[in-house]
Amino acid sequence: LGQEIQMRVVVAGDRDEEMGRQAVKELFEGSFRPDCIYCAGDGLAMGALMAAQEAGISVPDDLSVIGGNGLGSNLSTDRELTSMCHPIDMLGNRLVSMLLSRVELNGGDVPGVYLPPIFNLGESTSADENAILEELREEEG
């Protein structure tokens, strides 16, 4: 969607809403203004949404937020979070297949596999971003 990418990593002490809120609040206190925040968990992402709201930043108009585990949150909100999830059944299936291949090869190396992420599209990303994520889902599906 853009021509330039700049990434910052912010470490939160935990994966809950309050830690996400604090981490993003500190990020907003500096001069860096991200247009997207990816969080390692949905709780952190919900906290990022809270921090954006407190700072008067419009989601998804000025900032997109994506959660990273698809597990949802206990925080009640009127906005559905866009989240990346990792289907356990697919991961387990691939893991068992790789393990069986390794046994057949008497412990030999087995090539890794790429499992594309699945996105639950929500209102914390723009319509344009959701369209791109939907295309990725269809290409991999």
Side-chain angles (χ1 to χ4, degrees):
L1 294 174
Q3 299 296 319
E4 189 175 310
I5 295 174
Q6 186 180 73
M7 186 173 84
R8 304 268 171 102
V9 176
V10 177
V11 178
D14 202 346
R15 299 180 113 187
D16 62 18
E17 288 97 353
E18 182 56 27
M19 285 294 145
R21 188 182 76 72
Q22 285 297 326
V24 173
K25 183 179 174 185
E26 290 173 19
L27 179 67
F28 291 160
E29 289 172 355
S31 61
F32 180 66
R33 290 289 180 256
D35 57 11
C36 182
I37 296 177
Y38 170 79
C39 298
D42 290 358
L44 290 170
M46 295 305 295
L49 287 173
M50 291 175 7
Q53 183 178 20
E54 291 168 4
I57 297 170
S58 176
V59 175
D61 297 326
D62 300 321
L63 174 70
S64 296
V65 177
I66 299 176
N69 60 10
L71 298 178
S73 169
N74 293 329
L75 183 70
S76 106
T77 180
D78 61 349
R79 145 182 347 261
E80 185 181 343
L81 177 67
T82 296
S83 183
M84 182 176 69
C85 64
H86 308 278
I88 301 300
D89 56 341
M90 184 188 304
L91 292 170
N93 187 352
R94 294 289 177 98
L95 179 63
V96 169
S97 177
M98 292 173 71
L99 182 60
L100 290 173
S101 294
R102 187 151 186 168
V103 168
E104 289 172 1
L105 295 171
N106 294 320
D109 290 338
V110 176
V113 295
Y114 169 74
L115 297 176
I118 296 173
F119 288 93
N120 296 320
L121 305 178
E123 296 176 11
S124 64
T125 45
S126 71
D128 288 343
E129 291 164 332
N130 284 346
I132 290 169
L133 294 173
E134 183 66 34
E135 285 178 25
L136 289 173
R137 185 175 13 187
E138 290 172 6
E139 286 175 14
E140 300 295 337

